[in-house]
Amino acid sequence: MPAMKQPTTARDKKALAQREGLALLEKLLLDLATTGQWHLTDRLDRLERQSLQLGDSYLPNARTTLRRLIQVGRRKNLGLEERNSQAAELIGRLWAMVQIGGRYLDGTLSGEEATEADAVLEEALGKNWRLDELRERGYFRQNLHLLELAHERFEDEVTDLRIEVSFLLDLAGGAVFRAVNYRPRKALDRTAELPSYTQPLFLPEAAVYPGFLTRRIRWPLGTEERLPTNPDALRLAHSLSQPDFARVLADFRKQIKNPLAPREAVVLLRCQLIGTLGDRVVLVDAGNNRLETADRHAGYSHVGNLRRAGGELREQPALLARLFLRPRDNALVAQPLALLSPTKHLRLGI
Amino acid sequence: MSRDFFNTLAEEVDALLGAGCAAACTNHRLPQRGRVLREMARQVPALGTLADTIDRVCQPSSRDSSRALLDLVLVVRQTRVGMGTEALKGEVVPLPPSGPWVNNLPANELYRMVEAVRADPCNADLVEPLVPHDLRLFPLVTLSPDQLGQASAQIALLDRWGDEGNRAALRLLPALGRAVLPELERDFDFSKRPGAGRRLAAMGLIDPEAAVQFCSNRLPQQPGMLGVLGKVGGPAVEVFVRVLAQPHGNYANWNLETIAITLLNQVPETAVQVLRSSLQSPDPAQRKEAIDLLESLGKPAATAVPDLIEALNDRVPLVRQAAAQALGQIGRSSSIVSPHLIACLRDANHEVQRAAAAALPQLGVPGAKIVPLLIEVLDHPDEQVRLAIIDALARSAFRNKTAQAALLQAKEREVSAGVRTRIDQALKRCKS
């Protein structure tokens, strides 16, 4: 048997470490599926130790997902079904990382997987894109006019990060982009906050990451230009909203069929009517397609805000909404983020 | 049907993953599901993959059944995604008109405020002005039962935190609305201060009627709770006023003084108003207590002087006595008090006479119009009263020759050695 070639370049060394990491992850998952009972305390302790071993494997997402699984196991206030469902989602994701990540490293991706490779690389192998890499691969775009429709932040206990997201509408093409800022919670005072823009924004150039419906956007620091507030921008934004829910939902379904794709997408929907159906707040498009609204987390009700704001903007408003799959009944639902008319913009979240 | 089928299948697979591969191999339902899927695959070929994966899991001899189980978790989820959602049937009712709303504050600014309030609910001042306007603050302040609501409730109901706790109780708890009333009423114990007072104050702001009812029902068992209520001041006054308007038979033990003094410190006008209204109470004990309190309040109670003068004619001597004493304390700046007190020297009750007399010197230097009235009563039969009148006259005697002469004459006819000595002292002071 010929001796294995020793990696010489940094890239090869990293790929080797990732392969070893994926092998370890595969073994761990097979073991977990064989024995079950992953939620028992000693099993969770073992998983925690094993997650540490992934630390040198350049697989940050795999490690984070494993830690999320441990967190689910340790949570006391979770019902059995809910826990099983959340755990299966995470385990399925890890299993997809093993398979797709392995094929990527082996160069054996084919078909749709190959075309979406760049999009899921960040998730599968924890790829941190550099701006120059994105430029090389042709992900840079010039002269973008954007309008921020929503801005949100949340804290991730597992990664100990504060994540700030600005949802920006491309006033030329109508796509919704997300600018993301990751800030270690321990260094909040030493890291810059992602601004929230109330005026339209001009970017001479920006990298639009590979991805699915709501792609990440990033631009060289300080190159953005805040334009004067212009009523035309809002009118334009409203006109760019998607009038056909069915088409948007079909695109979203396609996205979440990829196990490594984000489980949510933010879209701008043109509503013919926003109203109530029993207790539910429902969006209706011109073709009478309906979409239920729902809150993503307990504690703060975006839907409650939509109920109020929808009473003011009644004439075919556009709604910026986060689509997601509600685990309880596997229903596609929309979390309202902002409501627009040609003359008014109301942010619904905080 | 298919949506339910896949939802159930997904639940079963999730449970099998928790139970382990061996349980999956021996599960009797899984092969049945596989057979149904095989049937369905005749119309939807894509379901064949799922049926195949189930077969792999169910084969006991298969060495890679754990791998197959992991595959099954993935395939079920991917298949389920395409199943669609429940149709939303029925008439959609448009939302009722509302607004206008504004929220053009940049998100970052709003976050900063909200974070400041979350870190310390006493910073509610930052957010409070925005609450009626900014749509985004509504769920946070009025609807969210956790986060801000819990934080403020905890701080407000703790028996410490001083002013911060009061502010949290008075600003944030009321913002949470009626939903927090049960929480405020639960395990209420007036002896746990100041938490109990804050609860009552918040109740009073949210629903004064409910708060009064709450107080009224518990006063016989916990009469001290009104004292606690008084500690909170401002908003609690409204509750207090309403309670005072009720019959007071059961409240004999309340600590009215504590309440009023505390109220005075925080809202003097309202406190005096409350006590003035108490002077109209049919209960003489309460009228007397109210007068005593006004006396202890001193200068800020000056607006109650007309009521106290009226009380000098009360049918109950104790009330008249208290009114006379109180006027000595708070009627100093009022020129209309002295004639009424002098008139009281002819009251049928000796104690009232003495109290009125004792009050006279406290009113300061009597004016030129008052001196003749005092001289008129210098021959009062009560020695104590005469001493007090002498004291009052002595204050003006150093510059009022009529007063000096009256004192000299009084000394000549005075039978009591003690009174004569007092007149001597007064005249001596005039000469020096």
Side-chain angles (χ1 to χ4, degrees):
Chain A
M1 191 173 165
M4 198 173 164
K5 193 182 165 190
Q6 286 294 317
T8 50
T9 65
R11 181 181 286 185
D12 289 346
K13 284 178 186 169
K14 185 176 173 185
L16 179 64
Q18 285 178 325
R19 263 197 195 91
E20 288 171 354
L22 288 175
L24 174 68
L25 186 61
E26 182 179 21
K27 185 170 172 297
L28 188 152
L29 290 171
L30 287 171
D31 184 35
L32 196 144
T34 306
T35 54
Q37 312 300 326
W38 57 272
H39 52 273
L40 298 179
T41 308
D42 56 341
R43 196 86 175 89
L44 290 172
D45 292 344
R46 206 166 102 199
L47 273 178
E48 199 146 24
R49 287 195 298 276
Q50 286 167 324
S51 77
L52 294 177
Q53 292 173 34
L54 286 174
D56 300 327
S57 306
Y58 299 97
L59 297 171
N61 282 359
R63 195 176 166 204
T64 304
T65 311
L66 204 54
R67 284 166 62 195
R68 287 194 204 288
L69 178 67
I70 295 163
Q71 195 191 39
V72 168
R74 293 205 196 282
R75 275 171 63 183
K76 302 279 182 215
N77 55 349
L78 220 52
L80 182 67
E81 272 182 26
E82 179 74 9
R83 191 184 60 194
N84 282 341
S85 166
Q86 287 189 19
E89 175 71 31
L90 293 168
I91 291 169
R93 209 167 176 79
L94 285 167
W95 187 239
M97 283 181 202
V98 169
Q99 295 186 319
I100 296 175
R103 287 200 285 273
Y104 177 84
L105 290 173
D106 295 340
T108 55
L109 285 178
S110 60
E112 207 161 275
E113 269 186 358
T115 55
E116 291 176 350
D118 277 359
V120 298
L121 210 53
E122 196 173 0
E123 184 62 32
L125 296 175
K127 167 83 180 160
N128 277 326
W129 290 99
R130 293 195 313 271
L131 282 178
D132 56 343
E133 281 179 311
L134 290 164
R135 192 188 294 276
E136 270 172 32
R137 294 201 179 217
Y139 288 119
F140 255 71
R141 288 174 54 179
Q142 278 72 39
N143 300 328
L144 286 160
H145 283 83
L146 306 173
L147 181 68
E148 182 184 281
L149 297 182
H151 186 286
E152 62 182 16
R153 65 172 62 181
F154 53 94
E155 311 229 328
D156 187 344
E157 298 293 331
V158 172
T159 55
D160 209 19
L161 288 172
R162 169 176 290 182
I163 300 165
E164 298 159 348
V165 189
S166 170
F167 293 105
L168 300 148
L169 182 77
D170 177 8
L171 291 175
V176 178
F177 298 130
R178 57 191 172 96
V180 191
N181 191 26
Y182 298 97
R183 299 171 70 199
R185 290 204 294 184
K186 286 176 187 162
L188 287 179
D189 53 341
R190 298 190 295 280
T191 50
E193 188 177 57
L194 178 69
S196 171
Y197 304 97
T198 49
Q199 306 116 297
L201 207 61
F202 173 72
L203 302 175
E205 62 168 6
V208 177
Y209 278 51
F212 296 86
L213 282 180
T214 315
R215 292 165 71 173
R216 184 176 169 189
I217 190 168
R218 192 172 141 207
W219 55 88
L221 202 66
T223 58
E224 77 272 24
E225 186 186 340
R226 294 178 195 227
L227 302 175
T229 306
N230 179 0
D232 288 342
L234 205 53
R235 217 173 1 256
L236 184 56
H238 181 265
S239 70
L240 289 168
S241 54
Q242 309 259 7
D244 182 7
F245 291 0
R247 194 168 156 193
V248 176
L249 294 183
D251 288 346
F252 181 57
R253 279 186 202 286
K254 191 177 167 209
Q255 169 180 319
I256 56 179
K257 274 199 171 184
N258 185 322
L260 290 179
R263 313 319 280 169
E264 59 185 40
V266 174
V267 290
L268 186 61
L269 302 167
R270 173 92 52 87
C271 304
Q272 183 71 23
L273 171 68
I274 300 176
T276 51
L277 189 64
D279 294 339
R280 296 183 279 200
V281 178
V282 174
L283 316 174
V284 185
D285 72 0
N288 201 27
N289 293 305
R290 296 171 177 199
L291 182 59
E292 186 184 343
T293 59
D295 284 316
R296 193 98 160 99
H297 304 288
Y300 184 88
S301 177
H302 289 234
V303 177
N305 278 347
L306 177 64
R307 265 181 204 269
R308 297 185 188 94
E312 185 188 357
L313 307 185
R314 292 153 66 98
E315 291 302 314
Q316 296 198 16
L319 182 78
L320 185 78
R322 175 188 280 113
L323 302 176
F324 66 98
L325 203 60
R326 186 167 54 198
R328 174 167 53 83
D329 55 357
N330 195 43
L332 274 184
V333 289
Q335 181 192 26
L337 298 176
L339 196 64
L340 271 83
S341 76
T343 53
K344 194 157 185 177
H345 171 206
L346 285 173
R347 296 165 189 252
L348 303 175
I350 191 165
Chain B
M1 178 265 173
S2 60
R3 195 176 52 248
D4 291 343
F5 175 85
F6 280 97
N7 285 345
T8 314
L9 177 63
E11 266 176 37
E12 286 172 0
V13 172
D14 293 350
L16 288 176
L17 187 62
C21 205
C25 293
T26 55
N27 185 283
H28 65 281
R29 272 200 299 266
L30 208 51
Q32 290 171 9
R33 304 268 182 217
R35 282 193 288 278
V36 173
L37 279 168
R38 202 58 81 195
E39 286 297 314
M40 291 161 83
R42 289 184 185 169
Q43 272 93 44
V44 189
L47 294 178
T49 313
L50 185 52
D52 292 345
T53 316
I54 289 179
D55 287 349
R56 280 173 53 212
V57 174
C58 295
Q59 284 175 11
S61 59
S62 171
R63 288 194 313 189
D64 71 343
S65 54
S66 49
R67 191 178 292 272
L69 181 58
L70 289 167
D71 286 342
L72 182 61
V73 170
L74 263 184
V75 178
V76 165
R77 288 185 125 63
Q78 283 171 281
T79 314
R80 198 182 171 206
V81 164
M83 283 301 113
T85 52
E86 180 198 353
L88 297 164
K89 290 176 186 163
E91 189 191 351
V92 177
V93 182
L95 293 167
S98 71
W101 300 100
V102 291
N103 63 11
N104 42 17
L105 197 69
N108 282 9
E109 295 301 317
L110 201 64
Y111 289 140
R112 263 190 280 279
M113 287 187 203
V114 171
E115 277 170 8
V117 176
R118 279 183 179 154
D120 181 357
C122 304
N123 289 324
D125 287 352
L126 294 170
V127 173
E128 204 173 12
L130 297 167
V131 170
H133 308 293
D134 198 311
L135 186 73
R136 292 167 291 179
L137 288 167
F138 259 81
L140 191 75
V141 182
T142 61
L143 298 179
S144 165
D146 53 4
Q147 295 174 344
L148 184 61
Q150 265 182 13
S152 59
Q154 280 164 9
I155 288 191
L157 302 181
L158 278 177
D159 300 323
R160 49 193 168 92
W161 286 94
D163 289 344
E164 291 83 357
N166 285 343
R167 291 176 62 194
L170 301 181
R171 291 169 190 275
L172 295 178
L173 288 177
L176 297 173
R178 298 182 62 85
V180 294
L181 281 177
E183 177 64 27
L184 294 175
E185 291 175 6
R186 196 169 59 205
D187 302 329
F188 184 91
D189 182 353
F190 86 94
S191 65
K192 288 186 178 169
R193 303 178 189 187
R198 290 175 189 148
R199 284 175 192 242
L200 281 174
M203 273 187 234
L205 284 171
I206 294 167
D207 186 342
E209 296 295 334
V212 170
Q213 192 63 41
F214 184 78
C215 294
S216 308
N217 292 343
R218 285 160 185 78
L219 275 175
Q221 294 84 36
Q222 300 182 331
M225 67 189 287
L226 271 183
V228 178
L229 182 63
K231 294 275 185 196
V232 181
V237 169
E238 291 304 314
V239 181
F240 181 55
V241 169
R242 286 164 186 267
V243 172
L244 276 174
Q246 296 181 3
H248 304 293
N250 293 330
Y251 314 149
N253 295 328
W254 69 3
N255 190 349
L256 198 60
E257 188 171 359
T258 311
I259 299 169
I261 291 171
T262 315
L263 292 178
L264 175 70
N265 291 334
Q266 299 178 38
V267 276
E269 297 82 9
T270 320
V272 172
Q273 188 189 332
V274 168
L275 293 168
R276 284 177 71 181
S277 67
S278 299
L279 290 176
Q280 309 304 322
S281 166
D283 180 358
Q286 192 188 350
R287 292 201 299 275
K288 182 189 176 300
E289 275 195 280
I291 292 169
D292 288 348
L293 275 166
L294 284 167
E295 181 187 351
S296 64
L297 301 180
K299 216 172 180 178
T303 52
V305 165
D307 304 84
L308 291 172
I309 289 172
E310 201 182 319
L312 289 175
N313 297 317
D314 198 287
R315 62 185 168 79
V316 179
L318 268 176
V319 177
R320 297 201 299 274
Q321 183 186 346
Q325 284 172 0
L327 281 168
Q329 286 295 321
I330 60 180
R332 200 166 299 171
S333 56
S334 174
S335 59
I336 59 166
V337 173
S338 297
H340 292 283
L341 285 176
I342 292 168
C344 270
L345 298 179
R346 298 188 179 93
D347 194 287
N349 186 289
H350 285 297
E351 295 302 323
V352 177
Q353 292 173 8
R354 286 182 180 182
L360 282 168
Q362 297 175 40
L363 296 178
V365 180
K369 289 181 182 172
I370 303 300
V371 169
L373 298 176
L374 288 170
I375 293 170
E376 268 181 39
V377 288
L378 255 177
D379 292 330
H380 198 280
D382 189 316
E383 187 180 326
Q384 292 292 324
V385 174
R386 289 202 303 280
L387 280 172
I389 295 168
I390 287 160
D391 286 344
L393 267 178
R395 287 176 169 263
S396 63
F398 69 97
R399 62 180 177 190
N400 190 317
K401 300 293 178 191
T402 316
Q404 282 182 24
L407 284 173
L408 276 171
Q409 286 173 12
K411 186 185 168 190
E412 294 302 317
R413 58 180 185 262
E414 181 56 61
V415 291
S416 162
V419 177
R420 281 201 305 273
T421 309
R422 182 73 64 90
I423 294 172
D424 282 340
Q425 288 169 350
L427 291 170
K428 211 176 192 177
R429 280 203 299 275
C430 290
K431 286 174 187 166
S432 64

